[in-house]
Amino acid sequence: VSVTEKQLVRLVRQKLDLAGATGRALIGPGDDAACLPAVVNRVLLFTVDVQTEGVHFDQRWTPPFLIGARSLLVSISDVFAMGGRPNYCLCSLGVPQTTTAETVDEFYDGLILQAKRFGVGVVGGNFALSQRFSATVAVLGTAPGTRTVARSGARPGDAIYVTGTLGGAAAALRSLKQGRLGRTEVEALCEALRQGEATGKPTPNDPVLSLLARFFLPQLRSDEAVWLAGERIPTAMIDISDGIASDLRHICEASGVGAVVEVDKVPLFDTMPQDISLGQQELTMLALAGGEDYELLFTVGPERSGKLVGDFQRRGFCRITRIGRIVDQSQGVVFTDTSGRKLSGLDGFDHMAEQGLGEAGQ
Amino acid sequence: VSVTEKQLVRLVRQKLDLAGATGRALIGPGDDAACLPAVVNRVLLFTVDVQTEGVHFDQRWTPPFLIGARSLLVSISDVFAMGGRPNYCLCSLGVPQTTTAETVDEFYDGLILQAKRFGVGVVGGNFALSQRFSATVAVLGTAPGTRTVARSGARPGDAIYVTGTLGGAAAALRSLKQGRLGRTEVEALCEALRQGEATGKPTPNDPVLSLLARFFLPQLRSDEAVWLAGERIPTAMIDISDGIASDLRHICEASGVGAVVEVDKVPLFDTMPQDISLGQQELTMLALAGGEDYELLFTVGPERSGKLVGDFQRRGFCRITRIGRIVDQSQGVVFTDTSGRKLSGLDGFDHMAEQGLGEAGQ
């Protein structure tokens, strides 16, 4: 690559700033979704994401049904990460000449199932010939008044939280790439998902299916995100698509702060199938840098942090874990062990995250 | 191709209908843009379009500046064709590994120039690795209250109008593909465009540049479209991306009507450079089936049709031409000569339109 994506993203963001090209947007490029001023106490959230064959999935082991499901989920995830709710989407499909009607049919089955589950109207789209299968999903959402959560509000002293567990999605992806899991298991996930259509969730009892679901069907923390934003609890929030190492850096850059993460506190995916022998260190690495989990990463000021875990439990929300704290920008973004010793050799995080997926939002 | 695009479009539309997956959309898949209910007398218009290397342009003769400009223009064209105004867009770029920063820089120069010209905020987007360069632009627009114009309102007895002239864009594209025009001329257009930045228009005095501009910088009839919709004049409206033959059929299918077009009345691009020797018949064919002109095609009831040409002149709007009339569905879509004789051998229109561009909106 003659230029890194990071450079391209920065270049475009600067150009848009300089040209004043983001119109009246309240939040333009640089956050999970663009935040647009609107009428009657509601702002619009407008975002786009793309999934490409060979980059985000491999058709050898990914049925179109799951490509469709995942394309929708990762796109609307950005709206939830702002504290809004997705309302509509458009899907632009790049299709190779060899694409069959069945493929498109199954793709939309998966997309529609998830769209209905989250109340998202699929309101249009198009097709274009393409060498590789790709799905670009644009999403329009809303949030009440000023209740959106940007990446830019974190302040020194804030606690850093994550929802759920991390590393499962990247472990699933690695297992597929290494051939330890394959089309057979993925088809079983499809089948389970089709059977559990009402909830949109597969039966969670099979550990292999649960692992695969972590990648193909990211468990969006929709109610949690909307509640957090409604209560104005997070100072910054993002969904973890690239891994904590990379996504926390996005928050820190946008907020002009640093961060200290206690690696041992990071909640790891804990129902790994026995066949998938994965060392604790490897899983930690995947949790930090593997990405694809689409859990929420958010920061909370000291005055709101105290009873947050209790609040989540009381409401039947997912598990949350405090993994570190925001510090002054001069301290950078640091990963430590329990004794507070700075861990070295973790500089590869970003690089790994960049290699893993050739994509980055502006 | 193992399945035609038309089949795919129909398949998806039916699926979405059956699944009730278009949410509360006022107009979902099947029109130029999705029309969404909103707050305070304004509906939202939300659409997406894609331009792909090798399908819509050829990088050998297309500078990134013009790819960016055209990507924006053809996307917002759909919003104008509904009678709305575009407000925001997102751009999802597929970039090959060999893509340079300069390419992206120039692409966004072109996109931003046109976005500013039309008051469109560029509010986000992303990059994904791709074998071919492609640009997917999602657009959000608004229209006052119920003043949008769908494809579905044409009624027998309505007159059929087009704006401007047709065939120029396809003639430019053909000249480029045949090598009669090339990178040198296109670079000159870029240069003229950069110099005329204030208006976003190149100096129109050079016939070669004017021809190329027809393809690269579709002359959107924005004020005309908004005025027409505001006055509730059109019963149906569409922008001509695939050619009259194909786009009129879209109106007829959506409206459940037929149409008679007098081919001799179709206004042809009339400032063809002398070097580009193009027979009248060939130009007519391009005007009907070549597409890419992005002029408006609309239908008007008899009670509003009378003084329309005069209204346009008085307001300093573009030229409009009445080219035919809407008839009963049983009569089909027919092209006739001046004496009313049905022209044969024109069945290839659709096929040609389909070959020309591997793309179709839902």
Side-chain angles (χ1 to χ4, degrees):
Chain A
V1 190
S2 51
V3 58
T4 69
E5 273 168 35
K6 218 173 199 172
Q7 290 173 305
L8 292 178
V9 167
R10 192 177 307 129
L11 182 156
V12 171
R13 208 179 297 167
Q14 285 174 344
K15 286 185 71 68
L16 294 175
D17 270 352
L18 280 172
T22 58
R24 291 168 299 155
L26 301 174
I27 301 174
D31 224 297
D32 295 303
C35 179
L36 315 176
V39 271
V40 184
N41 275 337
R42 295 229 141 231
V43 290
L44 301 171
L45 298 164
F46 181 28
T47 181
V48 66
D49 215 332
V50 57
Q51 301 283 300
T52 307
E53 157 75 13
V55 180
H56 304 92
F57 59 87
D58 185 325
Q59 285 189 300
R60 279 171 303 176
W61 38 256
T62 313
F65 183 80
L66 290 179
I67 303 173
R70 189 166 199 276
S71 297
L72 192 281
L73 291 171
V74 303
S75 298
I76 64 174
S77 176
D78 282 328
V79 173
F80 288 122
M82 304 280 294
R85 288 202 180 274
N87 302 120
Y88 302 98
C89 76
L90 303 169
C91 177
S92 183
L93 271 190
V95 291
Q97 288 208 315
T98 53
T99 301
T100 64
E102 285 71 31
T103 296
V104 174
D105 193 66
E106 284 183 30
F107 171 91
Y108 266 93
D109 274 340
L111 184 133
I112 289 171
L113 179 61
Q114 299 303 324
K116 292 196 80 169
R117 183 180 157 205
F118 286 100
V120 175
V122 185
V123 295
N126 58 21
F127 294 99
L129 274 180
S130 168
Q131 275 185 305
R132 293 180 174 195
F133 193 92
S134 77
T136 304
V137 178
V139 181
L140 186 59
T142 52
T146 57
R147 304 287 173 87
T148 57
V149 186
R151 297 178 180 178
S152 54
R155 295 292 168 260
D158 288 359
I160 304 170
Y161 286 90
V162 292
T163 58
T165 65
L166 299 174
L173 187 56
R174 176 169 292 193
S175 301
L176 287 163
K177 285 186 174 169
Q178 292 177 341
R180 283 188 280 174
L181 295 176
R183 182 99 189 185
T184 311
E185 290 85 0
V186 180
E187 292 282 7
L189 174 65
C190 268
E191 197 46 45
L193 187 66
R194 285 182 193 271
Q195 283 173 8
E197 253 183 88
T199 62
K201 290 178 193 172
T203 48
N205 298 328
D206 183 319
V208 168
L209 299 197
S210 295
L211 177 65
L212 288 173
R214 291 294 301 177
F215 176 73
F216 288 111
L217 299 161
Q219 177 62 59
L220 305 186
R221 305 304 182 180
S222 49
D223 293 337
E224 288 85 346
V226 170
W227 180 79
L228 282 167
E231 297 289 321
R232 301 174 195 247
I233 289 170
T235 52
M237 187 155 66
I238 193 171
D239 59 338
I240 305 176
S241 55
D242 298 335
I244 292 181
S246 178
D247 290 318
L248 181 56
R249 206 156 267 137
H250 290 147
I251 284 183
C252 289
E253 282 171 9
S255 300
V257 296
V260 178
V261 172
E262 294 173 60
V263 169
D264 293 340
K265 289 195 178 164
V266 173
L268 302 181
F269 182 73
D270 52 7
T271 56
M272 196 66 73
Q274 291 190 326
D275 312 357
I276 311 295
S277 56
L278 205 64
Q280 194 72 357
Q281 203 177 350
E282 198 180 356
L283 185 56
T284 302
M285 197 70 176
L286 292 175
L288 295 176
E292 304 297 329
D293 287 308
Y294 290 91
E295 294 287 354
L296 297 171
L297 174 67
F298 59 99
T299 55
V300 180
E303 72 288 0
R304 308 298 296 266
S305 179
K307 58 192 207 56
L308 195 57
V309 172
D311 277 340
F312 263 61
Q313 281 172 350
R314 232 179 345 268
R315 296 176 175 276
F317 284 170
C318 70
R319 158 186 183 177
I320 54 169
T321 310
R322 183 176 178 155
I323 61 168
R325 64 187 191 281
I326 296 297
V327 296
D328 192 76
Q329 187 167 29
S330 60
Q331 293 182 250
V333 178
V334 178
F335 294 83
T336 67
D337 63 15
T338 30
S339 67
R341 202 152 39 98
K342 185 173 169 179
L343 295 178
S344 59
L346 297 180
D347 295 338
F349 283 173
D350 262 347
H351 182 62
M352 183 175 160
E354 276 175 14
Q355 280 198 322
L357 294 179
E359 197 217 345
Q362 281 178 29
Chain B
V1 190
S2 50
V3 57
T4 69
E5 274 170 33
K6 218 174 199 173
Q7 289 173 307
L8 291 179
V9 167
R10 192 177 306 130
L11 182 156
V12 171
R13 207 179 297 168
Q14 285 173 344
K15 287 185 70 68
L16 294 175
D17 269 353
L18 280 172
T22 57
R24 291 168 299 154
L26 300 175
I27 301 174
D31 225 296
D32 296 303
C35 178
L36 315 175
V39 268
V40 185
N41 276 339
R42 295 229 142 230
V43 290
L44 300 171
L45 297 166
F46 182 29
T47 182
V48 66
D49 216 331
V50 57
Q51 300 285 299
T52 307
E53 157 76 14
V55 180
H56 305 91
F57 58 87
D58 185 325
Q59 284 189 301
R60 278 171 304 177
W61 38 257
T62 314
F65 182 81
L66 290 179
I67 303 173
R70 189 165 200 276
S71 297
L72 192 281
L73 290 172
V74 302
S75 298
I76 65 174
S77 176
D78 281 327
V79 173
F80 289 122
M82 304 281 294
R85 287 202 181 273
N87 302 119
Y88 302 98
C89 77
L90 304 169
C91 177
S92 183
L93 270 191
V95 291
Q97 289 207 315
T98 52
T99 301
T100 65
E102 285 71 31
T103 297
V104 175
D105 193 66
E106 284 183 31
F107 171 90
Y108 266 92
D109 274 340
L111 184 133
I112 289 170
L113 179 62
Q114 298 303 324
K116 292 196 80 168
R117 182 179 157 206
F118 287 99
V120 174
V122 185
V123 295
N126 58 20
F127 294 100
L129 273 180
S130 168
Q131 276 186 302
R132 293 179 175 194
F133 193 93
S134 77
T136 305
V137 178
V139 180
L140 186 59
T142 52
T146 56
R147 304 287 174 88
T148 57
V149 186
R151 297 177 180 178
S152 55
R155 293 293 167 259
D158 288 358
I160 304 171
Y161 286 89
V162 292
T163 58
T165 64
L166 299 175
L173 186 58
R174 175 169 292 191
S175 300
L176 288 162
K177 285 186 174 169
Q178 293 176 342
R180 284 188 279 175
L181 295 176
R183 182 97 188 185
T184 311
E185 290 85 359
V186 180
E187 293 283 6
L189 174 64
C190 269
E191 198 45 46
L193 187 66
R194 285 182 193 272
Q195 284 173 8
E197 253 183 88
T199 62
K201 290 179 194 172
T203 47
N205 298 328
D206 184 319
V208 168
L209 299 197
S210 295
L211 177 65
L212 288 173
R214 291 294 301 177
F215 175 72
F216 288 112
L217 298 161
Q219 176 62 59
L220 306 185
R221 305 304 182 179
S222 49
D223 293 337
E224 289 85 346
V226 170
W227 180 79
L228 281 167
E231 297 289 320
R232 301 173 195 248
I233 290 170
T235 52
M237 188 154 66
I238 193 170
D239 59 337
I240 305 177
S241 56
D242 298 335
I244 292 181
S246 179
D247 290 316
L248 180 56
R249 206 155 267 138
H250 290 148
I251 284 183
C252 289
E253 281 171 10
S255 300
V257 296
V260 178
V261 171
E262 294 172 61
V263 169
D264 293 339
K265 289 196 177 160
V266 172
L268 301 181
F269 182 73
D270 52 8
T271 57
M272 197 67 71
Q274 291 191 326
D275 312 356
I276 312 295
S277 57
L278 205 64
Q280 193 72 355
Q281 202 176 351
E282 197 180 357
L283 185 56
T284 302
M285 197 70 177
L286 291 176
L288 295 177
E292 305 297 328
D293 288 306
Y294 291 91
E295 294 287 354
L296 296 172
L297 174 68
F298 59 98
T299 56
V300 180
E303 72 288 359
R304 307 299 296 267
S305 180
K307 58 193 208 50
L308 196 56
V309 171
D311 277 340
F312 263 61
Q313 280 172 351
R314 229 176 352 264
R315 294 175 175 277
F317 285 169
C318 69
R319 158 186 183 178
I320 54 170
T321 310
R322 181 175 181 157
I323 61 167
R325 65 187 191 283
I326 296 296
V327 297
D328 192 77
Q329 187 167 29
S330 60
Q331 294 181 250
V333 179
V334 177
F335 294 82
T336 67
D337 62 16
T338 29
S339 67
R341 203 154 38 100
K342 185 173 169 177
L343 295 177
S344 59
L346 297 179
D347 296 337
F349 282 172
D350 262 345
H351 182 62
M352 183 175 160
E354 277 174 14
Q355 279 197 324
L357 294 179
E359 196 216 346
Q362 283 177 26

